[in-house]
Amino acid sequence: LCFYFPLLIFLINFLIFQPFKLYHYYPWLDIPMHFFGGAAIAFSFILILDRCKDEIIIKDKFIKILFIVSLVALTAVLWEFWEHLVNYLFTLEWYFTLRDTLEDLFLGILGGLIIALFFKSVTITE
């Protein structure tokens, strides 16, 4: 259950958007995909922290939000590395610029931050 939402985003990307070249025809689709990808990752980490609440205890709400957003940022960076590596190894026709990469990172982190700030599970229950 923890990774259903990121898996859904991944499958939409690689089974629909990539094969049908939807990013080529609708470049703006990249924006919601990275935003919702970050949100899905944050949701997954919230669920994982909730399951591990006896082993991982974070009492301060700010620290918990910071922890979740940090994990989302790490995941976003690793995703961008992966995109560049796949593009390089398989000489795909994906064109990356620094601006595109930074926008992707920003949108992923923003999606994660919004979920971390507003999701009920982040609220500390004693």
Side-chain angles (χ1 to χ4, degrees), residues 22-60:
L22 294 180
Y23 292 122
H24 175 74
Y25 299 114
Y26 308 103
W28 56 267
L29 282 175
D30 190 51
I31 293 169
M33 285 301 286
H34 281 88
F35 178 85
F36 288 118
I41 293 296
F43 182 71
S44 293
F45 285 127
I46 289 168
L47 291 177
I48 290 168
L49 284 175
D50 190 51
R51 284 194 178 167
C52 300
K53 62 185 167 205
D54 293 334
E55 294 85 18
I56 302 172
I57 300 168
I58 304 172
K59 292 185 179 185
D60 187 280

Side-chain angles (χ1 to χ4, degrees), residues 25-115:
Y25 299 114
Y26 308 103
W28 56 267
L29 282 175
D30 190 51
I31 293 169
M33 285 301 286
H34 281 88
F35 178 85
F36 288 118
I41 293 296
F43 182 71
S44 293
F45 285 127
I46 289 168
L47 291 177
I48 290 168
L49 284 175
D50 190 51
R51 284 194 178 167
C52 300
K53 62 185 167 205
D54 293 334
E55 294 85 18
I56 302 172
I57 300 168
I58 304 172
K59 292 185 179 185
D60 187 280
K61 186 174 181 177
F62 174 78
I63 298 298
K64 191 169 189 178
I65 291 169
L66 182 64
F67 184 65
I68 292 165
V69 173
S70 297
L71 291 171
V72 170
L74 173 64
T75 306
V77 167
L78 293 174
W79 179 264
E80 291 299 317
F81 283 162
W82 180 84
E83 279 185 344
H84 284 275
L85 180 66
V86 169
N87 189 45
Y88 176 77
L89 292 176
F90 299 106
T91 58
L92 300 174
E93 295 181 13
W94 299 348
Y95 300 104
F96 298 105
T97 63
L98 177 60
R99 180 182 173 155
D100 176 66
T101 300
L102 291 175
E103 286 175 357
D104 292 349
L105 291 171
F106 173 77
L107 289 165
I109 294 167
L110 180 64
L113 176 63
I114 288 173
I115 290 298

